[in-house]
């Protein structure tokens, strides 16, 4: 059928891309090892709670669920699968899962072989994962299957006149836990009624991260004495927007934690900067005091770095889509991002309530940041709104865990 042919073609394209693309190469190498890894490591009795996350962001959304299950029911076995190398490579040694691997491509033979080995007792998909063969086979084996933190939009294929096949696969879910009432209404309109509105588990996760944020003395020293903007997960198109303003604004300090950490990106960054900068891994107390820009050239610090900022800029909005806005907003910072945010409910909500701002170009960026720099009350109020939005929308993990397992959320 057309769906299987599409998946087969996609697999071939990834294989072809792997000849030049490092990410695709890691993915293909990882796929070659899936069944050997599972055959050697999976419990023959099966019984795994299988949690699938497309990438790192979705994994972080599911993490409160995983860790609460392990805390309340340590005997439960957990399998985590990823679609993207950016998730798998970062979390392949995650200690709260018993098995971690890539998800085999959604072809009938792969699906049956995968399920025969791991014999899941339950399957939980995070946010956007709708693999037809997996969902059909799970339903035929009567394995309870859920999706959490899901969000639906009217333009998705499920709600199109030609989306009948995909509407059917939604009915394979035992229950859908969605982020908002519009999602529930869309699903109801196509006859999918086994739905509960609970919100987004990501809010619970960022509050956890905030509570455990690392102390970073060098970043603290750097940020003292000036209003500091933290640019997180930035791409070159983002940097082209904000660096020129920074160069001409001595009362503003800048921390850049780029999305891609490599020499090519650093060359682009440093070619734009006209004020003193220092790389984090090369910094000491004296050098950060002399610098106006701190470049984070290592992974794993961004979620703690936001705590030292006064304004946040979240990258990705001039490309495929913005990165993790709640990760910054949880620290009560006003958040700025580019124009590609329409698929992100939290971004739209924050704009509507005054805790975030979107910009389409340098001129709009200058206008917003200039006001934040000159109006301290506006800066404080918009930041407070952002932080309150996160706190007021937490709680999805608790609702899901009590519904599925009658266990509390481990904070």
């Amino acid at each position: 059928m057309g769906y299987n042919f599409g998946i087969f073609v996609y697999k071939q394209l990834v294989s072809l891309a792997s000849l030049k693309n490092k990410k695709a190469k890691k993915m293909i190498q990882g796929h070659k090892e899936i069944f050997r890894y599972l055959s050697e490591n999976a419990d023959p009795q099966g019984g795994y709670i299988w949690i699938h996350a497309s990438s790192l962001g979705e994994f972080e959304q599911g993490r409160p669920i995983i860790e609460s299950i392990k805390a309340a029911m340590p005997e439960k076995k957990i399998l985590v699968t990823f679609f993207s190398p950016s998730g798998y490579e970062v979390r392949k040694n995650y200690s709260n899962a018993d098995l971690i691997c890539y998800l085999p491509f959604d072809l009938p033979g792969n699906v049956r072989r995968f399920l025969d080995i791991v014999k899941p007792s339950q399957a939980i998909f995070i946010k956007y994962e709708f693999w037809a063969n997996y969902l059909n086979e799970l339903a035929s084996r009567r394995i309870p299957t859920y999706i959490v933190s899901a969000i639906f939009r009217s333009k998705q294929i499920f709600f199109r006149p030609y989306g009948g096949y995909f509407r059917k696969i939604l009915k394979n879910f035992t229950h859908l836990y969605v982020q908002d009432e519009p999602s529930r209404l869309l699903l109801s309109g196509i006859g999918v009624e086994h739905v509960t509105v609970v919100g987004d588990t990501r809010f619970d996760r960022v509050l956890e991260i905030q509570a455990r944020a690392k102390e970073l003395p060098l970043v603290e020293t750097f940020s003292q004495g000036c209003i500091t903007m933290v640019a997180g997960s930035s791409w070159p198109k983002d940097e082209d927007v904000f660096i020129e303003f920074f160069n001409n604004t001595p009362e503003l300090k800048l921390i850049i934690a780029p999305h891609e950490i490599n020499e090519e990106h650093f060359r682009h960054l440093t070619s734009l900067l006209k004020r003193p900068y220092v790389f984090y891994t090369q910094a000491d107390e004296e050098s950060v005091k002399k610098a106006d820009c701190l470049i984070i050239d290592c992974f794993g610090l961004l979620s703690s770095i936001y705590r030292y900022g006064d304004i946040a800029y979240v990258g990705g909005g001039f490309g495929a889509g913005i990165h993790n806005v709640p990760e910054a907003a949880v620290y009560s910072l006003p958040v700025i991002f580019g124009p590609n945010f329409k698929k992100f409910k939290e971004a739209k909500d924050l704009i509507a309530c005054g805790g975030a701002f979107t910009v389409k170009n340098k001129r709009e960026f200058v206008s917003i940041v200039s006001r934040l720099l000159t109006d301290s009350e506006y800066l404080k109020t918009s930041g407070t709104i952002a932080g309150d939005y996160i706190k007021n929308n937490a709680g999805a993990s608790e609702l899901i865990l009590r519904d599925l397992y009658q266990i509390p959320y481990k904070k």
Side-chain angles (χ1 to χ4, degrees), residues 40-90:
E40 292 178 1
N41 294 283
D43 184 338
Q45 300 300 311
Y48 288 90
I49 296 176
W50 167 32
I51 297 173
H52 175 66
S54 174
S55 191
L56 186 60
E58 288 77 20
F59 170 79
E60 291 296 323
Q61 281 179 289
R63 194 164 169 172
I65 306 291
I66 298 170
E67 294 181 358
S68 295
I69 292 170
K70 270 299 185 186
M73 302 180 290
E75 74 283 359
K76 294 289 185 183
K77 294 170 288 188
I78 292 179
L79 160 67
V80 173
T81 58
F82 289 97
F83 182 76
S84 166
S86 63
Y88 175 76
E89 292 296 329
V90 175

Side-chain angles (χ1 to χ4, degrees), residues 121-229:
S121 60
Q122 267 185 339
I124 299 174
F125 293 81
I126 312 296
K127 195 174 182 179
Y128 282 140
E129 294 296 271
F130 305 102
W131 298 110
N133 288 314
Y134 279 104
L135 291 170
N136 289 336
E137 188 66 19
L138 286 162
S140 72
R141 297 185 186 208
R142 298 185 179 181
I143 296 168
T145 303
Y146 307 93
I147 189 163
V148 303
S149 292
I151 189 163
F152 292 88
R153 299 178 305 281
S154 59
K155 292 183 179 180
Q156 287 173 302
I157 193 168
F158 312 109
F159 312 107
R160 298 288 191 171
Y162 49 83
Y165 175 72
F166 293 92
R167 285 193 282 278
K168 286 180 184 175
I169 70 170
L170 289 180
K171 296 183 180 180
N172 289 324
F173 285 109
T174 308
H175 204 85
L176 296 91
Y177 295 96
V178 301
Q179 291 189 27
D180 58 11
E181 181 65 12
S183 293
R184 188 194 69 77
L185 291 172
L186 282 169
L187 292 168
S188 181
I190 58 171
V192 178
E193 301 289 356
H194 42 295
V195 179
T196 304
V197 178
V198 296
D200 189 347
T201 54
R202 186 163 38 161
F203 296 129
D204 301 317
R205 179 60 187 152
V206 296
L207 284 164
E208 285 178 14
I209 292 170
Q210 180 198 32
R212 302 172 191 172
K214 301 170 185 172
E215 291 189 12
L216 302 168
L218 284 177
V219 181
E220 184 175 13
T221 298
F222 170 81
S223 63
Q224 289 173 344
C226 263
I227 291 179
T228 300
M229 186 176 85

Side-chain angles (χ1 to χ4, degrees), residues 3 44 59 86 110 139 171 204 224 284 324 331 348 379 411:
Y3 177 84
F59 170 79
S86 63
N110 282 346
K171 296 183 180 180
D204 301 317
Q224 289 173 344
D284 56 27
N324 194 337
Y331 290 101
K348 293 188 286 186
L379 175 64
K411 297 181 182 179

Side-chain angles (χ1 to χ4, degrees), residues 9 56 61 93 103 149 183 192 211 218 282 302 306 332 357 387:
V9 169
L56 186 60
Q61 281 179 289
N93 297 314
L103 180 70
S149 292
S183 293
V192 178
L218 284 177
Q282 300 168 15
L302 178 58
Y306 281 123
S332 296
F357 309 90

Side-chain angles (χ1 to χ4, degrees), residues 218-219 221-231 242-243 245-256 273-279 283-296:
L218 284 177
V219 181
T221 298
F222 170 81
S223 63
Q224 289 173 344
C226 263
I227 291 179
T228 300
M229 186 176 85
V230 178
F242 62 74
I243 287 182
F245 177 81
F246 162 74
N247 285 335
N248 296 309
T249 311
E251 63 270 30
L252 180 69
K253 284 189 175 181
L254 176 64
I255 300 173
I256 306 177
L273 290 166
K274 307 301 182 192
R275 293 171 63 190
Y277 63 84
V278 64
F279 286 94
D284 56 27
E285 191 166 352
E286 287 305 310
S287 60
V288 295
K289 286 179 180 177
K290 295 175 182 176
D292 296 326
C293 176
L294 178 62
I295 302 172
I296 309 302

